[in-house]
Amino acid sequence: MRKILRLLLVFILFGCMQKQEALNGEYKMSGLDDDAEVTIVFNGTEFSGSSGVNRYFGSFEQSDNKIKFNVAGSTMMMGPRHLMQIEQDYLKNLQEVEECYTTDDTLVLKNSKGLELKFNKL
């Protein structure tokens, strides 16, 4: 019985020590208008993507499900008003993200207010 309990304890501790895999690959935000396309691409500790009209890029720090984005810059093209608003909201919300979760082919970025940005892996 003691051996079983020790073995169970080892499995529990090992499961708690597992870290979330580093983010990698390209994702597209879900739930947007058909003409809006917001993407994010992870490569090492850097990210880039399309924010609706413009391209953006920066670096991020990830520890387990905690994440912090540092948007370094973006292109400065003009586009349709509604796409520019989507872009502005997205970049503001990205700066406020504190947590990330991945399940299957889905990425969820979440801020402290409970706002979730959901993406599908491409």
Side-chain angles (χ1 to χ4, degrees), residues 57-70:
F57 59 93
S59 62
F60 70 98
E61 300 169 30
Q62 180 188 11
S63 176
D64 296 329
N65 70 329
K66 301 293 183 193
I67 193 166
K68 176 164 177 39
F69 289 95
N70 302 304

Side-chain angles (χ1 to χ4, degrees), residues 37 39 47-58 71-79 83-84 87-88 90-91:
E37 185 168 311
T39 63
F47 67 92
S48 61
S50 170
S51 52
V53 175
N54 290 289
R55 305 278 310 153
Y56 68 100
F57 59 93
V71 178
S74 70
T75 57
M76 302 288 282
M77 297 183 297
M78 292 296 294
L83 292 181
M84 295 300 294
E87 180 173 280
Q88 182 180 5
Y90 169 69
L91 291 174

Side-chain angles (χ1 to χ4, degrees), residues 5 58 95 105 114:
L5 288 175
Q95 298 267 23
D105 290 336

Side-chain angles (χ1 to χ4, degrees), residues 94-111:
L94 188 64
Q95 298 267 23
E96 297 174 354
V97 165
E98 296 178 347
E99 298 179 57
C100 67
Y101 304 96
T102 56
T103 57
D104 297 323
D105 290 336
T106 303
L107 166 68
V108 178
L109 303 175
K110 186 176 177 181
N111 72 13

